[in-house]
Amino acid sequence: MLTSTPTRPAHRAFRVSVKRVQRLSPSFVRITFHGDDLVDFGDEGLDQRIKIVLPTEATGYDSFPTSDDWYGEWRQLPDHERNSFRTYTARRIRRAEREVDVDFVSHGDTGPASAWANHAGVGDDMMLIGPDGTSGWTGSGIEWKPAGAATTLLAGDETAVPAISAILEQLPDDARGCAFLEVPTAADILDLTKPAGVDVHWLARDEASYGAPLIDAVRDWTSRYLTATHHGKPIDSATLADVDVDHDILWEVPQGRDLTGEFYAWLAGEAQAIKTLRRFLVSEVGIDRSQVAFMGYWRVGKAEM
Ligand SMILES: Cc1cc2nc3c(=O)[nH]c(=O)nc-3n(C[C@H](O)[C@H](O)[C@H](O)COP(=O)(O)OP(=O)(O)OC[C@H]3O[C@@H](n4cnc5c(N)ncnc54)[C@H](O)[C@@H]3O)c2cc1C
């Protein structure tokens, strides 16, 4: 519990280099980063959001500002010196070894982050923007907030597999619920650790469209397992403000109302698919929005900005 507001930012830049590259499956490549100052990297885990900073052709990382106001200074840089970012999950944090693993979805060389991961080699430089464990802030960049819920639902596509896997690993032994993970093919199913009371279902997408297997599975599970005690009155779909996923970010996360004995869902992946699930759970089933975290992690045809 904070007694006063910390004066330093919750996140900062960490200079790292590639220590290991491990091809986990056709679609996943795990990069282990090492850097001496990772000893200060916040290690709360769960769905810890980080940024990877891509090197510029002109200056690499030389012009990247490292002051407390790095973001403000970064915005002022001329285009050719301004590094671009992409958002990822810290799959595992080993502070004592000064290591962080990031599991990259390999979607060809169509995006700079995927291309970087596909060609990464031991010793390559990287910069991560991550939680500063010495800042005094806690919980920054973590959206998993079940707040005592009795039953939890986790659903996501391959981009959310690292976050869901990390969350499952940290759940208490008596946790109950279900997790659905949609991956490109059955060859992308990974080992994970989870409590006995949480059922995990891997869904191979194969030729289906992004999110289709996930949407079917969540609909089916909801109709079979989610009893009337877990949800309320369906809301009129006209009152649910829609998000234009081609222009706005689909990101709605509850901020920790006490959910003791209730239901909590955490959904992340391709934005249009997550939007469909949002309408289904909130509008059709009537689950209160304070019980569901919805996050568009990426959008077909749109680069992250
Ligand atoms: C909080 C958060 C956590 C995330 N964690 C992870 C993670 O741990 N691992 C991970 O791999 N991703 C993760 N993502 C998703 C990742 O940020 C996006 O996939 C990002 O767009 C990848 O950047 P890029 O440079 O490869 O492609 P971009 O330059 O952003 O996009 C270029 C093109 O590639 C397409 N594209 C982007 N991602 C995919 C994909 N996965 N499959 C197919 N086409 C794609 C875009 O639609 C676009 O047409 C996370 C996103 C968020 C918001």
Side-chain angles (χ1 to χ4, degrees):
M1 177 70 70
L2 294 175
T3 48
S4 60
T5 306
T7 50
R8 297 204 350 249
H11 291 87
R12 73 169 171 89
F14 294 84
R15 284 302 293 261
V16 293
S17 62
V18 173
K19 182 168 180 184
R20 266 188 308 277
V21 178
Q22 218 183 330
R23 176 60 66 173
L24 301 179
S25 77
S27 304
F28 288 108
V29 59
R30 172 166 297 164
I31 311 269
T32 299
F33 295 106
H34 178 270
D36 282 341
D37 65 348
L38 288 178
V39 71
D40 291 337
F41 199 88
D43 63 355
E44 292 173 271
L46 299 167
D47 56 339
Q48 178 69 64
R49 180 167 73 237
I50 60 169
K51 301 277 183 198
I52 65 152
V53 182
L54 292 152
T56 65
E57 255 179 50
T59 53
Y61 294 106
D62 291 348
S63 49
F64 193 82
T66 50
S67 70
D68 279 0
D69 184 30
W70 62 266
Y71 186 67
E73 289 179 30
W74 169 83
R75 290 179 55 171
Q76 305 299 323
L77 288 171
D79 284 354
H80 69 287
E81 289 184 17
R82 196 182 316 125
N83 303 72
S84 48
F85 306 133
R86 292 292 184 270
T87 311
Y88 280 82
T89 304
R91 170 68 184 86
R92 252 194 216 109
I93 300 155
R94 292 177 296 278
R95 218 151 64 162
E97 285 89 10
R98 294 148 169 74
E99 288 177 5
V100 171
D101 292 340
V102 179
D103 290 356
F104 289 79
V105 174
S106 186
H107 58 94
D109 287 353
T110 53
S114 174
W116 182 89
N118 281 335
H119 301 284
V122 172
D124 286 357
D125 287 332
M126 173 48 78
M127 187 173 281
L128 306 178
I129 306 290
D132 180 350
T134 66
S135 68
W137 292 101
T138 57
S140 183
I142 295 174
E143 306 300 356
W144 169 257
K145 295 192 174 82
T151 309
T152 53
L153 169 69
L154 289 132
D157 65 17
E158 57 269 40
T159 62
V161 164
I164 294 177
S165 304
I167 290 168
L168 288 174
E169 267 173 21
Q170 284 180 253
L171 286 182
D173 290 346
D174 60 353
R176 305 199 67 77
C178 193
F180 293 103
L181 300 108
E182 180 184 305
V183 284
T185 70
D188 292 310
I189 297 173
L190 305 178
D191 286 338
L192 51 74
T193 304
K194 53 121 193 144
V198 178
D199 296 324
V200 171
H201 300 277
W202 291 89
L203 311 163
R205 186 166 55 245
D206 296 322
E207 302 307 317
S209 55
Y210 285 109
L214 200 60
I215 292 166
D216 287 350
V218 170
R219 276 183 171 275
D220 179 59
W221 182 84
T222 306
S223 63
R224 285 187 294 123
Y225 293 108
L226 211 52
T227 66
T229 56
H230 287 126
H231 56 80
K233 194 169 166 291
I235 67 165
D236 176 359
S237 56
T239 64
L240 180 67
D242 239 333
V243 177
D244 175 356
V245 291
D246 286 324
H247 297 100
D248 302 317
I249 293 173
L250 179 70
W251 198 273
E252 190 175 297
V253 287
Q255 288 310 313
R257 160 170 90 75
D258 180 13
L259 295 176
T260 302
E262 297 186 53
F263 169 74
Y264 172 77
W266 182 107
L267 313 171
E270 200 285 322
Q272 183 59 46
I274 297 302
K275 176 176 156 177
T276 303
L277 282 174
R278 169 186 191 250
R279 291 198 75 76
F280 168 65
L281 288 178
V282 175
S283 209
E284 281 185 49
V285 181
I287 294 171
D288 192 275
R289 287 158 74 170
S290 65
Q291 293 173 254
V292 193
F294 300 96
M295 292 152 288
Y297 269 18
W298 68 286
R299 173 77 184 113
V300 169
K302 291 265 162 199
E304 186 185 333
M305 309 229 252

